[in-house]
Amino acid sequence: MLALQVLLITVYGLCLLLLLGFSLTQWQLTRLARRVYAAPVLPAPPAPAEWPLVTVQLPLYNEQFVVERLIDACAALDYPAGRLHVQVLDDSTDETVALAAARVRHHAARGLHITHERRPERTGFKAGALAHGLTCTAGELVAIFDADFLPEPDFLRRTVPHFFGPGSARTGVVQTRWGHLNEDYSLLTQLQAFGLNAHFFVEQVGRQAGGHFLNFNGTGGIWRRACIEDAGGWHADTLTEDLDLSYRAQLRGWHFHYLPQVAAPAELPITMDALKSQQFRWTKGAAETARKHLRQVWRSKQPLSTRLHATFHLLNSAVFLAILLMAVLSVPLVFVRALGAEQLRPVFYLAAFFLLALVPLTFYFRTAWQQAARQRPAPMGFGGQLLLFLAFSMGLSLHNSRAVMLGLLGRRSAFIRTPKLGMVAAGAGGWRGRRYRTSRLLGGLTVLEGLLAAYFLFGIGAGFYLHEYGLLPTHMLLATGYGLVFYYSLRHA
């Protein structure tokens, strides 16, 4: 019995140690980012003497609710006449095809170089579409926008010059920050914006300041065509073709430039199946990319700090495995604390020390929240938003852990798009008539999420009954998070 208790505590402690390591890397990136924000803003590079040929690629697959606004927004981009080519890469099988064709004809009649590319089959999903598009254009630079994005007219004028400034010959990507068209639509969108802001206001800024590997975020950025080709082109063997190509390019010596001051507004998923689809693709794809590139990263001549940051970057989705394992073990730990051997009690105080991992994470999210608040008023106070975000992230740990395990094991799965419904205004309603089903929300995984919510409620009750309150905050977060995920899964079914 004592051996089992020791094993349980050991595994729990190792999970906490992993979380602490992840938290400390975020703390260092936050320090680097804060130095950037405290420094004077550098002037933008001058416009190039001759603007290069730019191709704007719009990969589409069944986007009937947003395709027209996307094409119209890209047709309105301010760029010298004759130097812009808009490619609508349309693999759709529904009404999107006719809607896209009509908007392409409209803008072509007005003199815009815009083409509607249709492949005979959707080989390679998004990566295949982007690769196919390159064979049909001569653009030196390639901007990419997913269907839910609405770039501002001056997007190219503000980003293209960064490929031609001093020392920019090896700049392979210019990435911009994602804005949020519908952040205030619901609690679900507010929590997503909170998490994404941390990545774009802190993580990307810190990685750039520290000279570490960045990632192209799949959209809202521009590639130098020569960089894509030198790195081997788009591959479809992971669900995150953007992260995969980012690492191949940087291992080849290309540099990425991130512009937090330029925002590319986009629509956040408003339904749970859409969010889970996106989370599955991101977490599984990151694990697949780690499996593909981590060994090469450690064999490279990059500085040790860069290799360490790259490791946590590629394996950050594995944090969900640690969270899930800790969560499941935390309820038995209540009984071990109350009824276990007396000599084990000091170990719990040592384990509690690792809960200090929340301090660097609070610093990380607080910095992002402050920067985001400069752009627009925050929808709620920082403390409440942080606690709800942490709870919700914990609630997604079962779903995301499954994705991570599939990725690490090399199990292939289809590229499931994130449905975009064109719903921006808060309280607009009507989303039930705009459905793209991506999965069975009421499947076995959802039932398990509901059972886990009940399991952690039991942990809260056990803590009160046994007068063991050390894990009470954790169980309250877990019960809230799994309860929210289960509630939204039922509501959006």
Side-chain angles (χ1 to χ4, degrees):
M1 185 64 177
L2 179 61
L4 184 61
Q5 293 175 354
V6 170
L7 178 62
L8 189 150
I9 294 171
T10 301
V11 174
Y12 190 86
L14 289 174
C15 291
L16 281 171
L17 191 60
L18 174 62
L19 291 179
L20 179 63
F22 172 76
S23 180
L24 290 176
T25 62
Q26 303 305 90
W27 171 74
Q28 187 185 23
L29 291 176
T30 306
R31 292 183 62 222
L32 292 169
R34 291 178 73 91
R35 291 176 189 171
V36 172
Y37 289 124
V41 178
L42 297 176
E50 181 180 2
W51 289 90
L53 290 171
V54 172
T55 298
V56 176
Q57 292 187 321
L58 311 178
L60 302 177
Y61 180 68
N62 295 349
E63 309 287 6
Q64 60 177 307
F65 303 119
V66 295
V67 60
E68 293 173 302
R69 74 178 190 187
L70 168 70
I71 293 175
D72 290 345
C74 292
L77 288 168
D78 177 21
Y79 203 68
R83 311 299 290 172
L84 179 65
H85 175 199
V86 177
Q87 271 190 334
V88 181
L89 306 175
D90 188 5
D91 288 339
S92 301
T93 59
D94 66 355
E95 295 91 336
T96 304
V97 179
L99 294 170
R103 296 317 294 164
V104 168
R105 287 194 299 270
H106 169 77
H107 292 294
R110 296 173 57 246
L112 178 67
H113 183 198
I114 182 170
T115 54
H116 190 197
E117 309 289 347
R118 296 275 294 155
R119 297 189 294 162
E121 57 180 314
R122 198 182 173 216
T123 306
F125 305 108
K126 180 181 176 180
L130 296 173
H132 172 76
L134 286 179
T135 67
C136 307
T137 186
E140 178 185 346
L141 301 179
V142 182
I144 300 172
F145 295 105
D146 283 349
D148 51 333
F149 275 70
L150 285 179
E152 300 288 348
D154 64 350
F155 181 89
L156 295 176
R157 295 277 187 179
R158 298 181 68 186
T159 52
V160 167
H162 291 273
F163 286 97
F164 299 95
S168 60
R170 292 291 290 176
T171 296
V173 168
V174 172
Q175 174 68 53
T176 64
R177 174 173 56 84
W178 291 5
H180 313 300
L181 292 168
N182 59 338
E183 178 175 350
D184 294 331
Y185 187 88
S186 67
L187 177 63
L188 201 61
T189 57
Q190 290 174 15
L191 296 180
Q192 290 175 74
F194 184 82
L196 286 170
N197 285 342
H199 173 72
F200 284 102
F201 278 112
V202 178
E203 193 172 351
Q204 290 283 64
V205 175
R207 291 188 190 282
Q208 178 165 256
H212 306 312
F213 283 3
L214 299 171
N215 62 290
F216 172 64
N217 291 107
T219 176
I222 307 180
W223 282 86
R224 192 189 296 272
R225 184 190 186 119
C227 174
I228 297 175
E229 294 172 344
D230 180 63
W234 294 102
H235 292 181
D237 56 351
T238 75
L239 293 183
T240 47
E241 74 293 323
D242 47 359
L243 183 61
D244 169 39
L245 183 56
S246 296
Y247 266 77
R248 282 189 280 121
Q250 289 169 108
L251 287 168
R252 294 280 297 171
W254 291 91
H255 305 295
F256 285 22
H257 191 63
Y258 176 61
L259 299 177
Q261 69 272 25
V262 180
E267 179 182 327
L268 295 162
I270 64 172
T271 60
M272 182 54 73
D273 65 318
L275 175 58
K276 282 186 172 180
S277 170
Q278 186 184 73
Q279 288 288 309
F280 181 87
R281 194 172 67 251
W282 287 356
T283 51
K284 182 174 185 286
E288 291 172 331
T289 306
R291 191 171 185 268
K292 182 176 179 179
H293 292 302
L294 200 51
R295 185 176 302 173
Q296 189 178 0
V297 166
W298 279 97
R299 288 176 175 174
S300 71
K301 296 181 180 179
Q302 297 291 330
L304 177 61
S305 60
T306 295
R307 284 179 281 166
L308 285 170
H309 273 282
T311 301
F312 277 100
H313 186 195
L314 290 174
L315 292 177
N316 62 4
S317 58
V319 168
F320 288 106
L321 288 171
I323 291 173
L324 178 62
L325 190 55
M326 284 175 54
V328 172
L329 295 178
S330 64
V331 173
L333 271 178
V334 172
F335 294 92
V336 171
R337 284 178 64 113
L339 309 172
E342 186 65 30
Q343 61 264 36
L344 292 178
R345 298 192 68 83
V347 178
F348 289 104
Y349 300 117
L350 180 63
F353 170 78
F354 289 108
L355 292 177
L356 292 174
L358 289 177
V359 175
L361 283 180
T362 301
F363 182 51
Y364 167 68
F365 284 111
R366 175 75 179 181
T367 300
W369 185 81
Q370 290 172 330
Q371 292 300 320
R374 294 181 179 180
Q375 309 294 323
R376 60 185 304 282
M380 67 174 76
F382 170 73
Q385 205 163 15
L386 175 64
L387 289 175
L388 278 174
F389 175 78
L390 291 175
F392 192 69
S393 298
M394 291 177 174
L396 285 169
S397 60
L398 175 64
H399 173 272
N400 289 353
S401 291
R402 174 177 174 269
V404 173
M405 287 303 300
L406 290 174
L408 292 175
L409 293 173
R411 303 283 291 274
R412 300 301 298 272
S413 55
F415 184 103
I416 306 298
R417 55 180 285 285
T418 302
K420 296 96 179 179
L421 305 182
M423 306 299 293
V424 174
W431 59 265
R432 292 185 185 277
R434 300 187 170 206
R435 297 296 286 152
Y436 276 117
R437 178 64 64 199
T438 61
S439 63
R440 290 179 59 225
L441 271 178
L442 296 182
L445 207 63
T446 300
V447 173
L448 280 175
E449 287 164 345
L451 291 174
L452 282 172
Y455 177 68
F456 297 121
L457 286 173
F458 169 75
I460 293 173
F464 278 111
Y465 179 76
L466 297 171
H467 303 291
E468 286 289 347
Y469 307 113
L471 289 167
L472 182 62
T474 301
H475 288 153
M476 291 179 69
L477 287 173
L478 286 164
T480 301
Y482 274 99
L484 280 172
V485 171
F486 184 63
Y487 163 74
Y488 277 117
S489 295
L490 293 178
R491 180 180 173 185
H492 295 162

